[in-house]
Amino acid sequence: PLRYVSKYSEFVKREAKKNKSQWKTMGPAKVAVPSPNDYLQKHSKEPKLAPKKKEQEGERLRPLSVPGRTYQPVIRIKKNFINKNAVAVITGKPKKPRHFCVDTRQGDKYLLEPSGLFPKYIRKKNYGVTPKYVTQRNEEMKREEEEYQASVLEQLKKKAMKILSEEERTNVLKALKKKWEEINHAFQSLPVLTDTRYKQMHKEELELKLNQLEHDIAAIEKHKCVYIANV
């Protein structure tokens, strides 16, 4: 059988040849030799101004204007910088010598002012003066402390203690004794056998109440003057 040949083979060869890189050649690249007439001329790289437009036939030059009587031309005076600098040097104040410190035998030196050895800060006008923000902060703290003390005194005045009168003391004592009798009666009414947890808790609660009432009654009977606080 005959060998198969694609109908696109020529197209593929042509495209491959067309897209081949031009710099992939055998041997040195073929570059056009520059012409000897194209040599670098003087002022050839300087920018060239646009050519002036010629006046058209229909256009006319404008008439020259005559300056007025009050016109004063600007006179530019050339400055002599050499004399100016000389006068500035003669009349200027001389520079003060800068303080150096030499610390090696070879004469190596460094400035004293930025080194920290020169007493620069203690010679300031405001050296040792308390800053304004510190004074303001101290005043604010003092004012806040005074306000706090005033509020505490006000609260103490509101909660000032007062003395019970004899009639009130007697009534309180009677009420406590009556309450003790009621709780004691309830305590005596408890069953002898406390075999449940509820009975035990109830008995303990009554005992605590009786002890507290006995303590309060003894304190009131012992002290004739009783003070209470307005809480």
Side-chain angles (χ1 to χ4, degrees):
L2 297 175
R3 182 169 173 265
Y4 173 76
V5 179
S6 175
K7 62 179 181 179
Y8 298 104
S9 60
E10 296 295 332
F11 175 74
V12 172
K13 290 179 182 179
R14 188 168 58 251
E15 288 294 325
K17 189 176 181 180
K18 180 181 177 182
N19 297 331
K20 185 178 180 182
S21 302
Q22 298 180 0
W23 55 85
K24 293 183 178 180
T25 58
M26 296 295 293
K30 295 180 181 180
V31 182
V33 180
S35 175
N37 296 328
D38 299 336
Y39 58 89
L40 184 62
Q41 299 179 2
K42 189 177 182 181
H43 306 296
S44 60
K45 291 187 177 182
E46 294 181 359
K48 296 181 180 180
L49 299 175
K52 295 182 180 180
K53 296 182 179 180
K54 295 183 179 180
E55 295 181 0
Q56 299 180 2
E57 295 180 357
E59 294 182 355
R60 292 183 180 180
L61 295 174
R62 296 181 181 179
L64 297 175
S65 59
V66 180
R69 293 178 179 273
T70 58
Y71 173 75
Q72 295 181 358
V74 178
I75 302 173
R76 295 182 179 179
I77 303 173
K78 293 184 179 181
K79 295 182 179 180
N80 192 343
F81 293 99
I82 297 176
N83 295 339
K84 183 179 178 182
N85 294 338
V87 171
V89 171
I90 293 170
T91 58
K93 294 182 179 180
K95 293 183 179 180
K96 295 182 179 180
R98 305 182 72 179
H99 298 276
F100 289 95
C101 179
V102 180
D103 58 350
T104 61
R105 294 169 60 184
Q106 286 76 19
D108 298 333
K109 58 184 179 180
Y110 58 90
L111 291 173
L112 275 179
E113 187 173 351
S115 66
L117 300 175
F118 190 73
K120 182 171 85 172
Y121 295 100
I122 61 175
R123 295 182 181 178
K124 294 170 66 176
K125 294 182 179 179
N126 56 352
Y127 178 77
V129 180
T130 306
K132 291 183 179 179
Y133 72 93
V134 176
T135 306
Q136 294 176 358
R137 187 180 301 171
N138 293 337
E139 291 177 356
E140 291 177 359
M141 292 174 63
K142 185 177 180 181
R143 184 169 62 254
E144 291 176 359
E145 183 68 22
E146 292 177 354
E147 292 176 357
Y148 174 74
Q149 294 294 340
S151 63
V152 170
L153 291 175
E154 187 69 21
Q155 293 294 330
L156 290 176
K157 288 180 180 179
K158 290 181 180 179
K159 298 179 181 180
M161 301 179 70
K162 68 176 183 179
I163 188 171
L164 283 177
S165 61
E166 186 64 25
E167 184 179 357
E168 292 175 344
R169 175 176 170 277
T170 305
N171 294 335
V172 170
L173 195 58
K174 289 180 180 179
L176 290 175
K177 288 182 179 180
K178 185 179 180 181
K179 185 70 175 176
W180 183 87
E181 291 176 358
E182 293 176 358
I183 296 175
N184 187 37
H185 179 70
F187 182 77
Q188 296 295 334
S189 302
L190 289 175
V192 178
L193 183 61
T194 55
D195 53 352
T196 61
R197 181 60 182 165
Y198 173 75
K199 292 179 181 179
Q200 294 176 0
M201 292 176 62
H202 187 52
K203 181 180 179 181
E204 292 175 359
E205 183 180 0
L206 292 176
E207 288 177 350
L208 289 174
K209 289 182 179 179
L210 286 173
N211 292 334
Q212 184 64 37
L213 288 170
E214 289 173 1
H215 178 270
D216 295 342
I217 291 170
I220 294 175
E221 287 179 347
K222 183 178 179 181
H223 302 91
K224 298 296 182 181
C225 298
V226 180
Y227 294 89
I228 60 173
N230 295 327
V231 180

